[in-house]
Each structure stands twice: as structure tokens, then as C-alpha cells.
Amino acid sequence: MESNTQKLIHSFGALADLGQEVADTGDFMEMVRTSLHLLLGTLAIRRGAIIECPTHHLPEDKSTNLLAVWGVGDDYQPQFDVEDADREVFLNAPDGALDILGLVQSPTSNLQHEVSTGSGSDRVEETSRTTPESSPIFFHRYATDLQQQGIELIVPMVVRGELTGLVLLGGKASGDAFTADDLEVIKSMVRHIGVGIHTHRLLGEVKQQVVENRRLYEDLRAIYRDTVRAFAAAIDIKDKYTQGHSERVGKYSEIIARELGFGEEEIEGMAIAGYLHDVGKLVVERDIINAPYRIDAKQSSELNRHPVAGFEILSPIHHPYADIPLMAKYHHERMDGRGYPDGLTDEQIPLGAKIVTLADSFDAMTTNRPYKTRRTFDEVIIDLRLNTGSQFDPVVVVAFCRALMKELNGEIKERRFAKMLGKNYLEASKDIPLLTQLLAELDPNTKTVAAGG
Amino acid sequence: MADFKSNVRSHTVGTTAVVYASDYLNKLTGERIERECKKQLDSGARALVIDFSDTELVNSIGISILLGIIDIAEKSGALVVFSDVNNETVQLFEMLGLTRHVVLAKDEEEALTTLSSSSKAMGH
């Protein structure tokens, strides 16, 4: 086979392999190492290295990063500083390559000779620009060192007008100078490698951006949660008898949602809904909220405005969770349609609002109010039994009772209820049978839960 | 003695290590051969015979790795002989200039004879 044909076939084979390598986004370092082998093996170049240049957007970072090296001493780890002036020289490299020998020894190197004889005088003019005077920093610093390592050629990797990296190449095994054809093959392969590195860099930036965005989002959510809690505290301060009420309703709502198998985001949303359910009370007169007696019908009507007021306050806010305003609006609705503000029934009421309703009522029953002391747990169970189906959704009551049961029978170690109710309020030996019975009435399948304790 | 630990067949004859290349010399097999050659040189081999009798094809990566082996051998002062290389691969090695750094032999026997004569000529 004619030598030139064989050379072409060999080069095409290498280019095809390189295309596959570059497209493979699996192991980046392996891709670069293989690419270097392919490049070196195509022209039987004895040594070489692929070096990544820092991005231009980071002017303080000038140091290059060695990605792959082959054939130079084991202890040689080329690292350079690329100044802006160097970058310009590399970006405008004549024929896409810079000849170290020419820079260190004489203005007419082997490469320049081959290129000039092969492609005309204009190329001679271009190569004549690669003098130490035109690239003072990089070449004065490193050219001698590179030459000592057997590096003869520097090929800049330029992708979309940016200097992505440098490919350092030693001489050919044949001992011949690089020809213009060789340079074309090298430039083509280096472009491929450059695209691979650039793509990897872009993917890295995108991944980093995703991580950063997630972090910012988490920060924003934390700020939102803190703000909501502060808001809840402000709501509760207005009502001197129910301090901590909003926070407790948030926590009860969270417990119920978890028991119902909600996702983490929905659970968080339920906690927020609990914290904010009474936000409408901010527009109700303090005297009505703090009345140390049963309020009259007019005052009651005024107080009953708070779900709609809450909805109006919360609606313009873009909450990271769904239906927060609706849960505030409907937390006094009842299954039987006798609630307010809209007299909705059963399925018309969002599940979230039903959860907040129970959480709100449970806290109201288990905290002291100006006009009544809190109920005992037995009394709460009686209330739940009486009002499940009419006021409370059985599904929600069952979930609530199961969660409570899990704490009482030790299935869940965290004392979530005890922290809010006080450690002497619940008494496992007495309360477990009560809950077991209620659960059996509401949902026969829950017997096993009770027995598990 | 044959050594199959690195999946690369090899044996030694005096201070010469004979390493057998596989059917397709690419990165995976090339790196195994390189490791084996390094190991043999570190163990005191003064010459390497790389036998290509099973090798159908050598790609660019294979060339690069072979150049690396030649480099290491030269640094160790060891001679390298490629034996039983098929015609197509010989043409490739010649075209790329590898034959300037290695001796080609018809087969392993000829390679060992060549090395023996050159060793005598050098007074080893």
C-alpha cells in the first residue's frame, strides 16, 4: 500500500477513535489520556502533554492544570502561569502551533522551514511573529525547560475564541520535522480534544450552577421558614392567652401530614400552613381576641373574619408550597357544611385545611383559654369521637391518633406531643386503650398498630 | 517461565524478556504490555522482545504505548526487538519511524539470536 494512503487510513482511524472518546462523557481524565495517546500515536510523536488553561473570566487564576502526560520524565509535572499577553499569543498562533525550537534556538526552525516550503511565503511571515519578543513572558519563562523535556511544539486549544488549553508535543519517532500535513492532522485532533475539554468544563459549570442554585433555593426557603415562624410568633403575641398556638398547630399539622405519607416538601408546606393559619387575626381587634369571657355574636362575627382576612393577606405572596392561603381560609370549615366562611362540605375542603382544622382544634382543647381550662385527654378523645365525620375528617383523625399512639407505645422515640402538651399530660397506660378504642371505631385496620406497643 | 498474572504472556531467556502482544493492540492490552515490560526491566531485563505473532492490528494508541515502551527501554539501556510482525504492521511501523528505534525479527528465535549476537558484539 502506498505510504501516503496508509498514513491517511491510520490518521482517519485515529480521528474516528478520537471522536468516540471525546463524545464519551464518562471518565474525563481517561478521555483526555486516551486522546493524548491517539494524538501521539497518529504521527508517532514520542512525548506530549495536555494542559488545561484557566478560564479567562478568572483573571486571578493564571495557573494551568496538567491533564495528561506521556513520555516525559515521571517527575516532570508541567505547570505554567499564562498571562494575558501569552493568551493573546496563543490565540493568534500562526498555523495554530508554536515551535519551541524556533523560539529557543533560531528564528528558522524545522517547522518554519517545512511550513514555508509547503505553503508559501505568507506562512513564513506568520511564523516570524512567534519570536520571544512577541511573547516575552511565557517563552522566556518556560521555553528552555520545555526543550529540555524534549517538547518541540505547543499547540493551543482554542474553542469558541477562548484558550481552553495547550498541547505540548515532542518530536516524531522518525526524527523528521513536522510537515504542513502533520500540522493539519495535529490541529484537527487538538480541536477535537479542545471541544471535549470545553464540553466537560461547561458541564462542570452547569453542575456547579445547579448546586449553587439549590443552595440559594435552600437558603431562600430557610429565610422564608424563619420569616414565617417570626410571623407566627407575631400573630400569637397579639393573643396573650394562646402564645405558641400557631407554632404548635404547625407542628401538629406536620405530624399528621407525615403520618399520612406526604412527601417532605408537602410536610414542610403543612407546617407553614399551620404557622400561618391564624394570620388573619392580625386584622381582628386585640380586645376581641383577648376577651377574658365568651365573646358575643357580634364579636364572634368579627373574629370569624380572620380566615378570609388570612387568605387575603397570604394570597399575594408567592409561597414555595401549594395552597397555603386556602388552608388559612378553610381551617374553620366543617365536614357537615356548618363551618365558615363558605360552608364547604367534605370533599370541597382541601385535605390540608382539614389537617390544620384538627391541629387547631386539638391545640385549642389542650391549652388553657381565658374562659376555660384545658381538657383532659379523656375529654379530648370524647370530643374527637363525637365530632369525627361532622367536624373532622376521619382519615385525618386516624392519622393523628396513629401518630400519637406511636409516641405513646415507644415506636417513635421523639417526644413530639409531650414537648407541646407537657410531660404529665399524656399517660401511656391510660391513653393507649383510649386511642386503641377510638382507632378501632374509626378504622378497624389500625388494631395492629395499637397492639404493636 | 510463563507469567499469566497480568493476562500478558511473557517469559525470560537469560536477561531477555519475551512479551507477547495480543491480537489487537489497543489501550487496554497496550497498557498491560507496557506494565509487563516495565516489570521485566525493573527485574533486570537487558533486552525486550515483543512478539506480535498474535497481533492483527495496532491502532494509534498502540503506537503511542509502544513508543513509551521504547522510551523506557532506551532509558534503561535495554534493546528492543519486535518479532513476527505482520506485513501491514511492519509498513505502519516503518512509515511512522518506529523501526528507527527497534530491530525487527522474523520470529522469536531470530530475535533472541539477534540479541545474543549484539550482546556478544557489545561484550556483555
Side-chain angles (χ1 to χ4, degrees), chain A residues 176-194:
Chain A
D176 300 333
F178 289 105
T179 65
D181 285 345
D182 290 342
L183 269 187
E184 288 305 318
V185 171
I186 290 170
K187 278 157 51 185
S188 174
M189 295 185 87
V190 168
R191 267 197 298 275
H192 268 68
I193 300 168

Side-chain angles (χ1 to χ4, degrees), chain B:
Chain B
M1 188 197 296
D3 179 2
F4 297 98
K5 279 178 192 166
S6 58
N7 292 329
V8 174
R9 278 196 304 138
S10 69
H11 68 98
T12 53
V13 179
T15 55
T16 299
V18 183
V19 179
Y20 296 90
S22 58
D23 55 346
Y24 179 35
L25 191 55
N26 58 11
K27 187 169 66 175
L28 185 65
T29 53
E31 283 180 346
R32 283 180 189 156
I33 291 165
E34 187 216 355
R35 274 199 297 274
E36 182 61 25
C37 290
K38 265 187 186 167
K39 194 181 86 180
Q40 294 288 354
L41 290 168
D42 289 344
S43 307
R46 305 293 301 150
L48 289 174
V49 174
I50 301 178
D51 187 282
F52 290 84
S53 52
D54 293 333
T55 310
E56 294 289 328
L57 195 64
V58 179
N59 74 355
S60 291
I61 300 174
I63 295 288
S64 177
I65 289 170
L66 287 175
L67 283 170
I69 294 169
I70 292 168
D71 221 35
I72 297 163
E74 282 178 357
K75 281 174 188 161
S76 308
L79 293 168
V80 183
V81 180
F82 288 174
S83 68
D84 217 340
V85 188
N86 68 33
N87 282 341
E88 202 173 311
T89 308
V90 167
Q91 279 178 28
L92 182 68
F93 287 169
E94 281 174 348
M95 178 190 78
L96 294 171
L98 268 71
T99 44
R100 293 190 185 197
H101 303 274
V102 297
V103 177
L104 295 182
K106 184 168 57 97
D107 52 27
E108 185 183 327
E109 193 184 335
E110 188 183 292
L112 291 170
T113 309
T114 306
L115 285 168
S116 171
S117 332
S118 84
S119 177
K120 279 176 192 160
M122 287 194 292
H124 288 161

